[in-house]
Amino acid sequence: MTVTIYDVAREAGVSMATVSRVVNNNPNVKPQTRKKVYEAIERLGYRPNAVARGLASKKTTTVGVVIPDISNSIFAEVARGIEDIANMYHYNIILCNADKKKDKEIRVINTLLEKQVDGLLFMGGTVTDEHLQAFKTANVPVVLCATTDEKGTIPSVDIDHEAAAYDAVKTLINQGHTKIAMISGTLQDPANGYARFHGYKRALEESGISYDEDLVRIGNYRYESGVEAMKHFLDRSDKPTAVFSATDEMAIGTIHAIQDEGLKVPDDISVISVDNSRMASMVRPQLSAVAQPMYDIGAVSMRLLTKLMKKENVELSKVVLPHEVVARQSVGAKS
Amino acid sequence: MTVTIYDVAREAGVSMATVSRVVNNNPNVKPQTRKKVYEAIERLGYRPNAVARGLASKKTTTVGVVIPDISNSIFAEVARGIEDIANMYHYNIILCNADKKKDKEIRVINTLLEKQVDGLLFMGGTVTDEHLQAFKTANVPVVLCATTDEKGTIPSVDIDHEAAAYDAVKTLINQGHTKIAMISGTLQDPANGYARFHGYKRALEESGISYDEDLVRIGNYRYESGVEAMKHFLDRSDKPTAVFSATDEMAIGTIHAIQDEGLKVPDDISVISVDNSRMASMVRPQLSAVAQPMYDIGAVSMRLLTKLMKKENVELSKVVLPHEVVARQSVGAKS
DNA sequence: CTGTTAGCGCGTTCAA
DNA sequence: TTGAACGCGCTAACAG
């Protein structure tokens, strides 16, 4: 039924070793025999079996990617960056959603390892000791993507979330705002939550603005939670004059909540966020945001992984990509 | 270095066949030996090698997914549906972006087949004879996902794009509109382009509204192209009173172009589209749209594939999922 | 430049 | 209920 390397060898009148050589572009083959083999391959419609090859060579040219949720546009963007570079280096990716759930993450890491991936790209929630343990039993390189571990023992690529948040809030302060609310992700989330919250706090403190915990609401990253949080702030007698949202989506909810109240952005209230997804330009007013280079985070981490897999030694294994504040229309001076 | 089934056998004092049995949950093992084997596995930290298993059993429990672009939220949603169901049936997915480019599609189909995937899910542009040829040489089931082939020879799951467009335009007509513009995708695209355009045309014709080609612009599915197309319509002396957009994103661009001109949606111009992505509720006014159940398309196609892979016979191999118009705020009666 | 020979790690008969 | 032996399709020495 299925045609093997052996069939090709017979058809071409050579040994299977020779067929293997031409298939793998080994130069040590006489052009004439190479031609014969190619013809035999063509005639038989031979397709190399990558599984057998993987068993023999101990390389599968596939990498595992654990991602929180591919339907989240932020992560989808990262995934595209990963896949483009993987493709460039002739790797394929096995994609697993793990929803930032530790148990699910550990589980998929193990099945990925069973499948003998040549490397692992991990995007998730907190990196616990259990994760570290699982990574250690892997005999393949691992790189954290859009995440970091506290200990810094695993190579990673990410932005500096704390600084990104700091810069966002700072641009608000520079416009004269002092009553600045924050809509944060859960503080359990090290990057989107905790780090950004602390950037917010540091910016306030450095500017001598006292931190008011009533001005912070925890959202779930989604549009609706931005709407809801903002409605809460709007109920106060002394409304904030500016809002910093941990994500674009919540920021857009924020903008709409403000507008629904008959107020104007940025005239009455300014809004800024971190992400800069494509949606940021798809609202009116267009959203000012600190840009997180998601595609690049994916691309760079995959590139790093290829180096690790080739055992090249990399100078820097904890790379922090630059962020930048892109000013659009949702931030104005305090009136 | 790596611990194999053989090491476990020795450690447990049994044969490798027995270890294989307990690992694969074969009931023919005395509970006591089973226990011994489990302990040995634990002690040695044995992890089954799925590649070897795949070679021996000729099953890899992984399916290939070729997708146009994972960073497109529509497809990302499908992918999530696929992965959830795949996960449920213990399959993993290898994901390949092919950007609806025929050459790239054929190429990834072949590498997926080399990797011995147990099945293939294809999401792409037009299904050409070359595709059909590639599918035929695959010895594994293939299902088209959010696409169909003309000939209908390959199992598929999709919505009826023509009818969806028809329904969208019809709701405009029911509101009294007769001057209805369309922003379409390229007519080369069988689903998003051609079919939706024809649904538009049919709705007009059935209502005795003559088709005016000046009222149709081709966009590239993106926000900006919606803005641009609408600006064009706005330049006309007799502006359309309603617009049907082939995608949500272009529809949002349309709304903003209208608003930027000082006009109101839906008071001055109504807007409707096909997609109903999460963004539809993230604009003001919220976008009315015909809902395409992307997640379900992914889930159902993966479910269908599992049946095909298990050689269960399926009654219906060309499934058409229902669409539905969800009315929000962007459509109003003609003034 | 080419062929021979071992495995790679596991599933699966077939006997026992 | 268990074990021995073979083979899945290919790569990688090693020899020639």
Side-chain angles (χ1 to χ4, degrees):
Chain A
M1 182 71 217
T2 83
V3 22
T4 76
I5 201 174
Y6 189 77
D7 299 321
V8 177
R10 211 157 18 76
E11 174 81 11
V14 299
S15 77
M16 46 181 290
T18 301
V19 177
S20 175
R21 289 196 186 92
V22 343
V23 169
N24 293 299
N25 283 314
N26 183 317
N28 293 344
V29 180
K30 209 198 308 183
Q32 189 183 337
T33 15
R34 182 182 302 274
K35 184 151 173 291
K36 274 197 314 194
V37 172
Y38 273 134
E39 287 169 356
I41 287 177
E42 186 69 21
R43 228 173 303 138
L44 267 41
Y46 168 68
R47 177 153 35 210
N49 181 324
V51 171
R53 179 182 289 176
L55 185 59
S57 70
K58 292 173 162 302
K59 290 205 171 344
T60 55
T61 62
T62 106
V63 308
V65 176
V66 2
I67 203 170
D69 176 13
I70 192 62
S71 70
N72 178 317
S73 66
I74 300 291
F75 296 122
E77 195 71 37
V78 180
R80 179 72 209 220
I82 292 172
E83 220 267 327
D84 279 358
I85 304 301
N87 193 37
M88 188 176 301
Y89 287 89
H90 302 293
Y91 283 97
N92 289 108
I93 67 173
I94 298 184
L95 190 58
C96 297
N97 294 106
D99 297 304
K100 292 192 181 180
K101 304 262 200 295
K102 191 181 85 175
D103 290 355
K104 205 168 174 190
E105 285 172 353
I106 302 290
R107 187 151 29 92
V108 302
I109 289 172
N110 280 314
T111 87
L112 252 13
L113 260 18
E114 285 186 5
K115 298 228 167 171
Q116 310 300 117
V117 294
D118 294 338
L120 212 47
L121 241 29
F122 181 81
M123 237 171 303
T126 312
V127 177
T128 69
D129 286 343
E130 227 171 307
H131 289 83
L132 261 20
Q133 184 55 36
F135 293 153
K136 209 160 53 188
T137 71
N139 299 320
V140 296
V142 175
V143 356
L144 305 179
C145 181
T147 337
T148 339
D149 61 327
E150 313 293 79
K151 326 245 171 54
T153 62
I154 313 268
S156 66
V157 7
D158 200 357
I159 64 164
D160 183 338
H161 294 277
E162 203 270 352
Y166 174 87
D167 290 347
V169 176
K170 204 67 183 172
T171 84
L172 258 18
I173 293 174
N174 288 342
Q175 293 290 320
H177 295 281
T178 54
K179 194 169 276 302
I180 301 172
M182 172 169 187
I183 304 176
S184 171
T186 166
L187 266 28
Q188 266 59 262
D189 186 332
N192 295 339
Y194 191 80
R196 291 184 187 177
F197 171 68
H198 274 270
Y200 163 76
K201 238 173 131 174
R202 179 163 67 89
L204 295 186
E205 280 161 7
E206 279 192 12
S207 303
I209 303 173
S210 66
Y211 166 66
D212 175 357
E213 65 174 352
D214 288 345
L215 247 28
V216 175
R217 301 284 287 184
I218 306 295
N220 67 358
Y221 311 121
R222 306 294 248 195
Y223 176 83
E224 291 75 17
S225 77
V227 173
E228 192 189 350
M230 190 64 218
K231 277 194 175 133
H232 174 84
F233 292 136
L234 257 15
D235 280 345
R236 296 166 54 104
S237 53
D238 59 338
K239 303 175 179 40
T241 65
V243 180
F244 165 54
S245 163
T247 69
D248 276 7
E249 235 188 78
M250 293 195 294
I252 295 175
T254 302
I255 289 177
H256 287 156
I258 294 169
Q259 292 172 336
D260 288 352
E261 204 69 9
L263 264 25
K264 275 194 160 22
V265 177
D267 305 11
D268 298 306
I269 301 181
S270 290
V271 177
I272 196 169
S273 67
V274 179
D275 268 358
N276 194 44
S277 57
R278 272 167 23 86
M279 284 184 318
S281 342
M282 291 167 56
V283 227
R284 294 303 151 93
Q286 293 180 28
L287 181 65
S288 296
V290 174
Q292 228 187 148
M294 301 315 295
Y295 181 91
D296 293 347
I297 289 179
V300 170
S301 59
M302 183 64 214
R303 181 67 184 102
L304 176 56
L305 188 60
T306 63
K307 286 180 182 167
L308 262 16
M309 291 188 296
K310 281 180 194 142
K311 302 198 190 318
E312 301 176 11
N313 48 356
V314 302
E315 51 306 333
L316 180 64
S317 76
K318 180 180 172 106
V319 3
V320 176
L321 258 27
H323 57 268
E324 117 192 74
V325 4
V326 355
R328 275 188 278 255
Q329 310 163 340
S330 66
V331 172
K334 183 186 175 239
S335 52
Chain B
M1 182 71 220
T2 82
V3 22
T4 76
I5 202 175
Y6 189 76
D7 300 320
V8 176
R10 212 159 13 81
E11 175 81 9
V14 299
S15 76
M16 46 180 290
T18 301
V19 178
S20 175
R21 288 196 188 91
V22 342
V23 169
N24 294 299
N25 284 313
N26 184 317
N28 294 345
V29 181
K30 211 198 306 179
Q32 188 182 338
T33 17
R34 183 182 300 276
K35 183 151 173 291
K36 277 196 314 192
V37 171
Y38 274 134
E39 288 169 356
I41 286 177
E42 187 69 23
R43 229 173 302 138
L44 267 40
Y46 168 67
R47 176 155 36 212
N49 180 325
V51 171
R53 181 180 287 179
L55 185 58
S57 70
K58 292 173 163 302
K59 290 208 172 339
T60 55
T61 62
T62 105
V63 308
V65 175
V66 3
I67 203 172
D69 177 11
I70 191 62
S71 72
N72 179 317
S73 65
I74 299 291
F75 296 121
E77 196 70 38
V78 180
R80 178 72 208 220
I82 292 172
E83 221 268 327
D84 280 357
I85 304 301
N87 193 38
M88 186 176 299
Y89 287 89
H90 303 293
Y91 283 97
N92 288 109
I93 67 174
I94 299 184
L95 189 59
C96 297
N97 294 107
D99 297 305
K100 292 193 181 180
K101 303 262 200 294
K102 191 181 82 176
D103 290 355
K104 205 169 175 187
E105 285 172 352
I106 301 290
R107 187 150 29 91
V108 302
I109 289 172
N110 280 313
T111 88
L112 251 13
L113 259 19
E114 286 186 4
K115 299 227 166 171
Q116 311 300 119
V117 293
D118 294 339
L120 212 47
L121 239 31
F122 182 81
M123 236 171 303
T126 312
V127 176
T128 68
D129 287 343
E130 227 172 306
H131 288 85
L132 260 22
Q133 183 55 36
F135 293 151
K136 209 161 52 187
T137 70
N139 300 319
V140 296
V142 176
V143 357
L144 306 179
C145 181
T147 337
T148 340
D149 61 326
E150 312 294 80
K151 326 245 171 55
T153 62
I154 313 268
S156 65
V157 5
D158 201 357
I159 64 164
D160 183 339
H161 293 277
E162 204 269 352
Y166 174 88
D167 290 348
V169 176
K170 204 70 182 172
T171 85
L172 257 18
I173 293 173
N174 289 342
Q175 293 292 320
H177 295 281
T178 54
K179 192 169 279 300
I180 301 172
M182 170 169 189
I183 304 177
S184 170
T186 164
L187 267 28
Q188 266 58 263
D189 186 331
N192 294 338
Y194 191 81
R196 293 187 185 176
F197 170 68
H198 274 271
Y200 162 77
K201 235 173 132 173
R202 178 163 67 90
L204 295 186
E205 280 161 8
E206 280 193 10
S207 304
I209 302 174
S210 65
Y211 165 67
D212 176 357
E213 67 175 351
D214 287 344
L215 247 28
V216 175
R217 301 283 289 182
I218 306 296
N220 65 358
Y221 312 120
R222 306 295 247 194
Y223 177 83
E224 292 75 17
S225 77
V227 173
E228 193 189 351
M230 190 64 218
K231 277 194 176 135
H232 174 83
F233 293 136
L234 256 16
D235 280 345
R236 296 166 53 106
S237 52
D238 58 338
K239 304 175 179 39
T241 66
V243 179
F244 165 54
S245 162
T247 71
D248 277 7
E249 234 188 78
M250 292 194 295
I252 295 175
T254 302
I255 289 177
H256 286 156
I258 294 168
Q259 293 172 336
D260 288 351
E261 205 71 8
L263 266 25
K264 277 194 158 23
V265 177
D267 306 11
D268 298 306
I269 302 180
S270 290
V271 177
I272 196 168
S273 67
V274 179
D275 268 358
N276 195 42
S277 55
R278 273 167 21 86
M279 286 184 318
S281 343
M282 292 167 56
V283 229
R284 294 304 151 92
Q286 292 180 29
L287 181 64
S288 296
V290 174
Q292 231 187 144
M294 300 316 294
Y295 180 92
D296 294 347
I297 289 179
V300 170
S301 59
M302 184 64 213
R303 180 67 184 103
L304 176 56
L305 188 60
T306 64
K307 287 181 181 165
L308 261 16
M309 291 189 297
K310 281 180 194 143
K311 303 199 188 319
E312 300 177 12
N313 48 355
V314 302
E315 53 305 334
L316 179 64
S317 77
K318 180 179 173 108
V319 3
V320 176
L321 259 28
H323 57 269
E324 115 191 75
V325 3
V326 355
R328 274 188 280 255
Q329 310 162 340
S330 64
V331 172
K334 180 179 178 248
S335 51

